[in-house]
Amino acid sequence: MSKFYAQAFYRLAIEDYREKLMNSRRLQAFREAAAQIPHLWDRVALRLGDWLIKLGYNLKSHSLLANKHA
């Protein structure tokens, strides 16, 4: 194999490597961005937590013990 053909394959290998590296960087950026988006379970857990806090506050403010000490 001549030196010219070896250089051509080397250039093709470098270009292929650069394309694969760019694609992997794009996919990594997409995965990182997707990880920051809240999902349905996150929203449900936040709403449930808010509801439990309000329920506890209402139970405490309407209990007989709270009215005796107030």
Side-chain angles (χ1 to χ4, degrees):
M1 186 186 282
S2 72
K3 191 175 183 180
F4 175 73
Y5 289 120
Q7 287 179 355
F9 286 124
Y10 181 71
R11 286 184 192 149
L12 287 174
I14 289 175
E15 289 176 11
D16 186 49
Y17 175 74
R18 286 181 184 159
E19 288 178 17
K20 287 181 180 179
L21 187 61
M22 247 202 285
N23 287 339
S24 67
R25 286 181 180 165
R26 282 188 207 132
L27 287 173
Q28 182 65 26
F30 177 74
R31 287 183 191 131
E32 288 175 2
Q36 301 298 324
I37 297 171
H39 297 287
L40 179 63
W41 177 245
D42 297 326
R43 293 179 185 159
V44 169
L46 286 173
R47 302 253 174 158
L48 180 63
D50 289 343
W51 180 77
L52 287 173
I53 290 170
K54 287 179 184 177
L55 179 66
Y57 177 76
N58 288 336
L59 288 174
K60 184 178 179 183
S61 65
H62 290 97
S63 69
L64 294 176
L65 295 174
N67 290 334
K68 286 183 182 177
H69 296 293

